[in-house]
């Protein structure tokens, strides 16, 4: 991941303003520690902090067309850049960067080229010939982007809120699958797949087609000129990513440079069960496995940094981001700059345990649509910002555009939990990779019950965080929360505690409005809470809140635990960096 900052239409064009843009851009340097660049044209500034994954030697940004009249600053990866370059024979490319193709596509097609891009991206492009500009974000919002407005009439774009929050009067999270055009005067949606309308599909289940589509999604993400690995929790999703990457690595270009043995990573407390599960999968696949350990106190000590980097006060996003943040630092220390992760599977296939209570296939499908549309506010935000905090890029094969379109075109009847037919959650993807002749994974891993990441790290982690927050937030503080925080009022002491930290870093009204709220049970959207009357009395994003579904479900409400003076110090659990990393909340995973 890189960091981009663009300011267009400034009233002040002094050297002091240029220095200010550079200063703000430095707030993104954790995302791109390898190089910095800035292009100034009259009252427009495009700045870039680079994490060099492709063409480290010559791919510095901003990037240009042949005569430098088109300038672009990009955060992301364009997986089909070679295919696109082949169609641009009349153009001269200056670098080996996959992102340079954007400038040339604009020359050929104007603003209507974004849907040609296969990848994850946020970019701002300036056409100096008429001083027009466009900005766009990928289909699902894997890469972050914010849009702001200055009092002087300037328009701002930034990878993270921290680079524009001080200088913008108002700012928002740039919506995924949209383009901003200065010519058209605003935002419009460029990504319009059939599932977006939430109409119910009827395509029959084809396990082989689903398997092949996912394998292609993983293979295309092995495009890199630097060392990489896979975040492996031992759960289904991360294990499938690792299994496919391991099986096909030897036949890719990257194997010639970095070898054909896959690196896998996990983190946890000593002796945690998920660490054992991850090691079991790694041993089965023959990966070079890296197991990191940390203490609960280290996780608590990192909370302020985590909230600063993730720019959220959503409870479960913070619960799940903390171990991922710590693990990313360890991974970077090994010289690894890119990892594959497994976000998105639970949204696409209805993998959360509350989906067991979906009343019919229509409601099931609509809920998956709602979940995918909100991923950029939860799991995509967490996976990107927790890793980018240490200059590591996370790629997510389950959120491949072609794979999503195929999976979401499947008749949702096949995705529903049917215990009488032996179908558990995510049965369609489990069955697609159930190959007796050339098994991808052991059966007990392939059919392991879903755990949300913040649960899977150990229930004591969540209970301990609640108790830690209780020591810092009084009953009176929570009682008056609606007066102190009238917007998205925290309803728990844990939520209140995170909110106070967030407000310290981001005190503006616009900042708190970038974080969504609403009731949730076991990661559901607010709409799905209506599926079971009992859930409205037990609104907690933990999977255990799915009463009557989870094997370790709360018997009534989550019971409180008493912690010693050193909070949650004695608990043991696994914290793994992988697909099962789910932030939870109204629309997370």
């Amino acid at each position: 991941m890189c960091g981009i900052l663009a300011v267009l239409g400034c009233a002040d064009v002094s050297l002091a303003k240029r220095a200010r843009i550079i200063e703000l851009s430095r707030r993104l340097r954790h995302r791109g520690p390898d190089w910095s660049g800035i292009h100034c044209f009259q009252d427009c500034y495009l700045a870039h902090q680079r994490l060099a994954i492709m063409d480290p030697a010559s791919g510095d940004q901003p990037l240009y067309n042949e005569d430098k009249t088109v300038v672009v600053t990009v955060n992301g990866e364009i997986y089909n850049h070679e295919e696109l370059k082949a169609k641009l024979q009349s153009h001269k490319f200056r670098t080996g960067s996959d992102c340079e193709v954007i400038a040339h596509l604009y020359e050929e097609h104007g603003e209507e080229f974004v849907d040609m891009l296969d990848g994850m991206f946020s970019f701002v492009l300036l056409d100096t010939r008429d001083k027009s500009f466009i900005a766009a974000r990928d289909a699902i919002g894997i890469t972050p982007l914010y849009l702001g407005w200055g009092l002087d009439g300037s328009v701002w774009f930034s990878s993270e809120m921290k680079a524009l929050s001080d200088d913008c009067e108002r700012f928002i999270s740039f919506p995924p699958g949209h383009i901003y055009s200065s010519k058209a005067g605003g935002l419009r949606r460029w990504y319009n797949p059939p599932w977006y309308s939430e109409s119910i599909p009827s395509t029959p289940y084809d396990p082989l087609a689903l398997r092949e589509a996912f394998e292609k999604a993983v293979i295309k993400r092995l495009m890199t000129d630097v060392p990489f690995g896979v975040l492996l929790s031992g759960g289904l999703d991360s294990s499938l990513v690792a299994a496919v990457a391991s099986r096909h690595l030897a036949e890719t270009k990257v194997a010639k440079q970095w070898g054909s043995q896959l690196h896998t990573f996990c983190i946890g407390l000593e002796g945690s069960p998920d660490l054992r599960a991850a090691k079991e999968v790694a041993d089965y696949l023959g990966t070079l496995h890296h197991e990191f350990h940390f203490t609960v106190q280290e996780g608590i000590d990192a909370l302020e940094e985590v909230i600063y980097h993730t720019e959220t006060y959503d409870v479960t996003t913070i619960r799940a981001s903390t171990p991922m943040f710590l693990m990313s630092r360890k991974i970077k220390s090994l010289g690894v700059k890119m990892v594959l992760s497994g976000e998105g599977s639970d949204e696409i296939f209805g993998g959360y345990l509350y989906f067991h209570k979906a009343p019919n296939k229509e409601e099931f499908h609509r809920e998956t649509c709602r979940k995918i549309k909100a991923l950029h506010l939860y799991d995509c935000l967490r996976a990107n910002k927790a890793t980018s905090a240490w200059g590591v890029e996370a790629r997510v094969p389950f959120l491949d555009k072609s794979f999503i379109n195929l999976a979401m075109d499947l008749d949702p009847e096949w995705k529903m939990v049917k215990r009488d037919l032996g179908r558990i959650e995510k049965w369609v993807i489990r069955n697609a990779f159930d190959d007796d002749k050339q098994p991808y994974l052991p059966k007990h891993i392939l059919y392991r019950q879903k755990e949300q990441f913040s649960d899977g790290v150990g229930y004591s982690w969540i209970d301990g965080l609640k108790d830690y927050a209780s020591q810092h937030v009084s009953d009176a503080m929570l009682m008056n929360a609606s007066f102190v925080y009238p917007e998205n009022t925290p309803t728990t002491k844990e939520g209140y505690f995170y909110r106070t930290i967030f407000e310290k870093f981001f005190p503006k009204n616009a900042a708190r409005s970038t974080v969504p709220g609403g009731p949730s049970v076991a990661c559901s959207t607010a709409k799905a809470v209506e599926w079971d009357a009992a859930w409205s009395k037990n609104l907690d994003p933990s999977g255990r809140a799915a009463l009557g579904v989870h094997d370790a479900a709360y018997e009534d409400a989550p019971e409180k635990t008493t912690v010693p003076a050193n909070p949650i110090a004695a608990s043991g659990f696994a914290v793994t960096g992988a697909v099962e990393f789910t932030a939870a909340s109204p629309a997370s995973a």
Side-chain angles (χ1 to χ4, degrees):
M1 286 294 107
C2 301
I4 65 173
L5 173 64
V7 187
L8 304 117
C10 295
D12 180 4
V13 293
S14 66
L15 288 177
K17 186 65 174 181
R18 184 181 189 275
R20 175 61 175 168
I21 303 299
I22 292 173
E23 177 191 349
L24 293 172
S25 180
R26 288 195 192 109
R27 297 184 184 180
L28 305 174
R29 186 162 290 175
H30 54 276
R31 298 183 61 85
D34 297 333
W35 199 250
S36 304
I38 187 169
H39 180 91
C40 307
F41 178 78
Q42 296 178 9
D43 57 357
C44 299
Y45 302 84
L46 275 68
H48 191 266
Q49 301 290 341
R50 187 184 185 205
L51 180 67
I53 302 292
M54 297 297 298
D55 186 25
S58 68
D60 294 338
Q61 295 195 37
L63 296 161
Y64 306 90
N65 65 338
E66 291 87 344
D67 62 4
K68 293 194 173 184
T69 55
V70 175
V71 192
V72 63
T73 181
V74 190
N75 168 36
E77 304 291 341
I78 309 301
Y79 303 122
N80 65 335
H81 69 106
E82 290 184 351
E83 173 190 329
L84 293 170
K85 283 181 182 179
K87 298 176 181 178
L88 297 165
Q89 294 289 342
S90 62
H91 291 258
K92 182 180 179 181
F93 287 80
R94 298 171 177 270
T95 74
S97 169
D98 54 293
C99 294
E100 187 182 350
V101 71
I102 292 173
H104 300 285
L105 284 172
Y106 172 79
E107 281 193 294
E108 287 289 324
H109 304 282
E111 297 181 357
E112 305 304 320
F113 71 89
V114 182
D115 200 24
M116 300 178 189
L117 302 175
D118 181 7
M120 55 178 185
F121 55 83
S122 298
F123 68 82
V124 180
L125 181 149
L126 171 65
D127 188 338
T128 63
R129 294 167 296 190
D130 60 4
K131 276 186 65 176
S132 64
F133 62 88
I134 60 171
R137 190 177 184 187
D138 66 66
I140 305 300
I142 301 166
T143 61
L145 189 63
Y146 292 83
L147 164 61
W149 296 269
L151 285 174
D152 62 351
S154 56
V155 181
W156 295 58
F157 301 93
S158 176
S159 293
E160 294 185 4
M161 187 163 57
K162 56 182 65 68
L164 56 68
S165 58
D166 289 346
D167 290 51
C168 288
E169 183 66 15
R170 182 170 176 259
F171 47 90
I172 62 171
S173 176
F174 194 105
H178 280 69
I179 181 172
Y180 182 98
S181 167
S182 64
K183 289 180 180 177
L187 290 158
R188 69 176 184 273
R189 188 151 51 89
W190 64 263
Y191 179 56
N192 296 285
W195 64 266
Y196 204 90
S197 67
E198 301 184 12
S199 57
I200 312 303
S202 58
T203 304
Y205 174 46
D206 184 341
L208 188 57
L210 197 63
R211 182 202 296 185
E212 290 176 349
F214 184 66
E215 288 188 308
K216 287 179 181 177
V218 173
I219 292 168
K220 74 174 70 168
R221 282 161 180 78
L222 301 180
M223 176 186 84
T224 177
D225 290 329
V226 298
F228 79 101
V230 174
L231 304 182
L232 179 64
S233 71
L236 172 69
D237 302 337
S238 61
S239 298
L240 282 179
V241 174
V244 173
S246 182
R247 180 168 295 199
H248 294 284
L249 180 57
E251 64 201 46
T252 64
K253 293 179 182 178
V254 70
K256 296 177 183 177
Q257 189 172 6
W258 302 109
S260 58
Q261 187 178 25
L262 184 69
H263 290 254
T264 51
F265 308 97
C266 67
I267 187 169
L269 299 188
E270 291 276 3
S272 57
D274 275 13
L275 284 180
R276 290 194 293 271
K279 188 176 187 306
E280 180 185 6
V281 175
D283 289 344
Y284 179 82
L285 297 175
T287 71
L288 187 57
H289 191 56
H290 306 268
E291 184 177 288
F292 307 123
H293 303 101
F294 79 107
T295 67
V296 174
Q297 190 60 53
E298 286 171 333
I300 291 174
D301 292 342
L303 283 174
E304 285 213 5
E305 279 187 286
V306 169
I307 291 170
Y308 173 74
H309 280 288
T310 58
E311 303 179 322
T312 186
Y313 49 83
D314 174 65
V315 169
T316 314
T317 300
I318 295 167
R319 289 176 181 175
S321 293
T322 304
M324 200 174 196
F325 172 85
L326 295 171
M327 180 177 57
S328 297
R329 187 176 191 180
K330 298 270 192 179
I331 289 172
K332 188 59 181 288
S333 73
L334 296 176
V336 172
K337 298 168 77 172
M338 187 274 280
V339 292
L340 303 186
S341 190
E343 282 74 17
S345 173
D346 292 309
E347 286 73 20
I348 296 168
F349 297 110
Y352 296 109
L353 297 184
Y354 74 89
F355 274 94
H356 285 235
K357 297 291 186 79
N360 51 58
K361 72 176 187 179
E362 290 80 13
E363 276 300 305
F364 188 106
H365 180 72
R366 292 187 187 107
E367 177 70 0
T368 60
C369 294
R370 291 190 290 263
K371 295 283 286 178
I372 295 171
K373 290 176 184 178
L375 265 171
H376 68 289
L377 300 170
Y378 299 100
D379 281 22
C380 288
L381 177 148
R382 171 188 46 76
N384 183 282
K385 292 182 179 178
T387 54
S388 293
W390 299 106
V392 176
E393 174 174 293
R395 298 180 181 177
V396 283
F398 279 106
L399 297 181
D400 179 81
K401 199 163 56 167
S402 297
F403 180 75
I404 291 177
N405 289 344
L406 177 71
M408 292 302 290
D409 195 42
L410 173 65
D411 186 336
E413 184 71 28
W414 288 96
K415 296 181 182 179
M416 293 189 71
V417 176
K418 303 278 188 180
R419 289 186 180 275
D420 55 327
L421 299 176
R423 295 184 197 167
I424 61 173
E425 65 278 353
K426 294 190 286 192
W427 177 84
V428 291
I429 192 69
R430 299 175 195 269
N431 181 66
F433 282 91
D434 193 347
D435 188 333
D436 290 330
K437 293 181 179 179
Q438 291 183 299
Y440 287 79
L441 292 167
K443 293 272 189 182
H444 66 283
I445 295 291
L446 194 60
Y447 290 95
R448 186 184 182 195
Q449 187 185 48
K450 161 70 184 173
E451 284 282 12
Q452 290 166 207
F453 173 60
S454 49
D455 283 340
V457 300
Y459 300 129
S460 298
W461 171 239
I462 295 174
D463 296 337
L465 282 175
K466 291 177 180 178
D467 289 331
Y468 182 77
S470 293
Q471 297 174 20
H472 292 79
V473 179
S474 67
D475 292 342
M477 291 164 71
L478 187 61
M479 186 179 302
N480 292 317
S482 62
F483 300 105
V484 179
Y485 302 120
E487 182 178 357
N488 272 356
T489 303
T491 57
T492 66
K493 291 184 177 181
E494 185 185 7
Y496 193 106
F497 179 63
Y498 298 155
R499 183 67 171 270
T500 60
I501 298 173
F502 177 89
E503 296 276 342
K504 179 172 69 174
F505 293 125
F506 308 105
K508 287 190 175 180
N509 288 333
R512 65 184 66 101
S513 296
T514 64
V515 183
S520 174
V521 62
C523 288
S524 75
T525 66
K527 180 67 177 174
V529 172
E530 300 171 7
W531 291 353
D532 190 315
W535 287 350
S536 62
K537 303 174 184 177
N538 191 41
L539 296 173
D540 190 284
S542 167
R544 288 178 292 164
L547 303 177
V549 177
H550 196 287
D551 293 339
Y554 296 128
E555 290 188 9
D556 186 3
E559 63 178 276
K560 293 185 177 180
T561 58
T562 303
V563 269
N566 182 12
I568 51 183
S571 60
F573 60 85
V575 179
T576 56
V579 149
E580 307 290 302
F581 276 103
T582 20
S585 236
S588 79

